[in-house]
Amino acid sequence: MKRVYLDNAATTQMDPQVLEFMVAAMNQYQGNPSSIHAEGRAARAMIEQARKKIANFLGASIGEIIFTSGGTESNNTALKCSVRDLGVRRIISSPTEHHCVLHSLDTIARSGMAEVKYLPVDIKGYPDMAVLEQWLAEDDTKTLVSLMHANNEIGTMINLEEVSRLCQQYNAMFHTDTVQTMSFFPFNLSEVKVNFLSGSAHKFHGPKGIGFLYMNKENIVKPFIDGGAQERNMRGGTENLHGIIGMAKAMEVAIENMEHNRMHITAVRNYFKSRLENEFSDIQFNGDPDNGNYKVLSVSFPATSKGDLLLFNLDINGVSVSGGSACSSGADQGSHVIAALHRDSDRKTIRFSFSHDNTNQEVDFVIDQLKKVLPELVKGTVASSV
Ligand code: PLP
């Protein structure tokens, strides 16, 4: 049966070049990178090569890249260790962050070690920059601002330069979760000051369970995971050698093809958006689709007789998408992001997220399936009495 995968914000398929590179590396490099013999030294060299590559892509120094198990660990490390080790006593964030940030902030608030404040967000999901400036200006408590670059559910993006400038002006630190934008947008950390930044390979066609934390050299923290002296004493545990190699390769491939992929993904997504607008009544787009992350289109459908089973019905008809965020569990519990936008809660939200592998023909297939599962919304049809 034909299937179309439009859930690339949840995870991406591994790039074949990355897979091939990793399989070759698995055959060739099997030493423990901490061993001093030849096998160990060869494995260590591969890790350091990957670190250098990633640092170069970001305009960072080699010592500023720490390998982690993914975005969740990177965000936990930045938030919890900046409170524990750097004297941060206030964190300003937003209610639409990923759960790994929000739940870390809950833990921090419960510990009593720092105050946590959430900026208001507008209907498109933009955190209020005027309130951020007011809070930074009125209180000189040591502060970390934690705002995601692009929201994983609706794609709304902050202006990194603007937040960075404000943080510098008021002497605050800045953490940004770039899990959804890393390798899809250019970064130059030698120009935009960020203290911590998180990335995760499986979002850019690399392997799962590997990510990194960029940590500015001015604000080095102690390990979040205690153990051996791996990662220059920053994270204990034998390194995920093949994951690290695969992540650097995935980044290389994604960055080489960034412009081409951006144009393709934008075109396919816009084609989908215009077909939805032309053929379905009463649909809404969440976020700021013309200015946000080009790979995400969040669509709210009005309540219909089959609305509750929308995800299920699309799945059995060959379309893989998610409700709010698919990252924490398979269950659709309603989205904290959509709730924060104060949108009509009866509506059913679906996040369609695209990759360079998607085509207009796949969009046509998805539209056909949507018409099948949401017949009442197809323009020109008489409303059914169900
Ligand atoms: N942050 C954002 C914005 C995400 O979309 C995700 C993905 O699920 C994460 C963090 C967590 O990343 P990981 O799956 O690598 O732990």
Side-chain angles (χ1 to χ4, degrees):
M1 179 192 158
K2 181 180 168 83
R3 289 202 70 83
V4 172
Y5 185 80
L6 289 186
D7 202 12
N8 291 281
T11 197
T12 53
Q13 319 291 298
M14 279 249 266
D15 186 288
Q17 289 180 68
V18 174
L19 199 56
E20 195 183 321
F21 195 72
M22 284 180 72
V23 170
M26 281 176 187
N27 274 315
Q28 198 176 344
Y29 302 102
Q30 311 217 2
N32 185 323
S34 298
S35 301
I36 54 165
H37 47 60
E39 289 83 356
R41 290 198 307 276
R44 160 78 38 224
M46 289 306 284
I47 290 185
E48 294 315 317
Q49 237 178 59
R51 198 188 312 276
K52 188 170 174 192
K53 225 181 224 179
I54 293 174
N56 285 344
F57 287 140
L58 295 178
S61 310
I62 296 169
E64 294 175 317
I65 304 296
I66 310 299
F67 295 122
T68 66
S69 63
T72 299
E73 183 187 326
S74 298
N75 286 336
N76 268 263
T77 305
L79 296 165
K80 293 175 180 172
C81 295
S82 63
V83 172
R84 188 191 64 187
D85 303 329
L86 301 175
V88 165
R89 290 295 167 261
R90 179 175 65 159
I91 299 182
I92 300 176
S93 187
S94 90
T96 54
E97 300 297 308
H98 190 269
H99 274 147
C100 67
V101 166
L102 293 178
H103 295 168
S104 294
L105 295 178
D106 284 347
T107 302
I108 290 167
R110 272 199 313 275
S111 76
M113 286 181 71
E115 179 194 12
V116 178
K117 293 180 83 165
Y118 296 96
L119 292 168
V121 294
D122 69 15
I123 194 159
K124 291 182 173 172
Y126 289 108
D128 193 322
M129 289 296 118
V131 174
L132 174 60
E133 175 152 26
Q134 186 196 325
W135 286 355
L136 289 172
E138 72 191 11
D139 184 342
D140 62 2
T141 301
K142 180 138 190 188
T143 298
L144 174 75
V145 174
S146 177
L147 291 174
M148 69 204 310
H149 189 204
N151 186 276
N152 50 305
E153 295 189 30
I154 57 173
T156 300
M157 293 179 72
I158 60 161
N159 181 332
L160 278 187
E161 288 82 4
E162 183 185 10
V163 179
S164 166
R165 232 180 296 117
L166 274 178
C167 288
Q168 284 181 80
Q169 186 182 342
Y170 294 100
N171 213 15
M173 295 171 76
F174 179 27
H175 161 245
T176 184
D177 175 347
T178 57
V179 165
Q180 290 292 339
T181 50
M182 183 53 56
S183 308
F184 292 92
F185 289 82
F187 286 89
N188 187 349
L189 297 174
S190 64
E191 284 176 6
V192 180
K193 182 165 179 194
V194 170
N195 296 87
F196 300 100
L197 172 151
S198 313
S200 177
H202 73 101
K203 306 289 187 181
F204 51 88
H205 304 277
K208 299 183 198 349
I210 182 71
F212 68 89
L213 175 65
Y214 160 84
M215 198 186 312
N216 185 294
K217 52 184 161 310
E218 292 168 19
N219 51 262
I220 299 295
V221 299
K222 297 196 177 73
F224 180 63
I225 294 184
D226 293 313
Q230 289 92 351
E231 291 299 283
R232 300 152 198 251
N233 257 329
M234 289 304 309
R235 180 188 188 262
T238 299
E239 296 89 338
N240 178 355
L241 168 65
H242 305 114
I244 291 169
I245 293 173
M247 173 163 64
K249 181 69 183 173
M251 208 175 207
E252 180 185 310
V253 173
I255 288 174
E256 260 171 33
N257 297 298
M258 188 187 286
E259 200 42 32
H260 175 267
N261 289 346
R262 185 185 64 77
M263 282 165 55
H264 176 82
I265 295 169
T266 306
V268 173
R269 190 198 72 146
N270 288 350
Y271 174 64
F272 180 55
K273 183 166 177 276
S274 66
R275 284 215 61 190
L276 284 173
E277 284 166 330
N278 290 337
E279 295 173 48
F280 292 86
S281 52
D282 196 16
I283 51 172
Q284 292 174 353
F285 298 105
N286 298 304
D288 192 2
D290 296 329
N291 298 302
N293 192 352
Y294 52 86
K295 67 183 185 184
V296 173
L297 189 66
S298 171
V299 186
S300 285
F301 297 92
T304 64
S305 57
K306 291 185 181 168
D308 281 346
L309 293 173
L310 195 47
L311 282 181
F312 172 77
N313 283 331
L314 285 172
D315 186 25
I316 59 173
N317 282 289
V319 179
S320 303
V321 288
S322 60
S325 164
C327 308
S328 49
S329 75
D332 182 14
Q333 296 170 335
S335 150
H336 68 285
V337 175
I338 302 297
L341 308 183
H342 311 296
R343 304 220 65 160
D344 168 4
S345 58
D346 279 350
R347 287 180 161 266
K348 262 282 170 234
T349 296
I350 299 212
R351 176 186 66 182
F352 299 90
S353 48
F354 297 80
S355 86
H356 56 267
D357 291 327
N358 293 126
T359 62
N360 283 2
Q361 289 70 33
E362 289 184 324
V363 164
D364 291 338
F365 176 80
V366 174
I367 293 283
D368 288 344
Q369 307 318 307
L370 276 168
K371 284 181 172 172
K372 230 190 267 174
V373 301
L374 289 171
E376 300 102 311
L377 299 184
V378 178
K379 280 186 181 166
T381 12
V382 182
S384 97
S385 55
V386 193

